Amino acid sequence: MRKISLKFQILRFVAEQGIVTVDNIKNKFNCKKESVRVIMSQLGISHYKYGDIQHGLWFIGDQKLFGLLRT
C-alpha cells in the first residue's frame, strides 16, 4: 500500500472537519505548529483570525481543492 503524503492527509482532514485550528492538526498528525502552518499555506487553505485562537481558524475556501481530493 502506498504511503499518503502528509499534505494530502492534512487537506483531507480539513475537508472532513470543515473548520480546524493549527492545534487540531498538530495533535492529530504529531507535527510542529510551524510546519503545519507552512503546509496549509502552501496548499492554499484559507484562514481567518477568530477571537483569541492562536493562528486562527482554517478552512477550505477554494472549491478547486476539493477537486484534488477526488483525484
Side-chain angles (χ1 to χ4, degrees), residues 16-40:
E16 289 171 352
Q17 298 300 312
I19 297 174
V20 299
T21 65
V22 171
D23 287 332
N24 294 141
I25 294 176
K26 181 187 79 77
N27 294 334
K28 171 81 175 170
F29 298 105
N30 198 21
C31 301
K32 294 180 183 176
K33 280 187 181 184
E34 288 303 313
S35 62
V36 168
R37 290 179 55 222
V38 169
I39 289 171
M40 290 197 297

Side-chain angles (χ1 to χ4, degrees), residues 44-62:
I45 298 173
S46 303
H47 71 280
Y48 183 76
K49 181 70 177 158
Y50 184 78
D52 60 350
I53 298 175
Q54 189 177 17
H55 308 301
L57 299 174
W58 294 76
F59 58 95
I60 296 180
D62 184 5

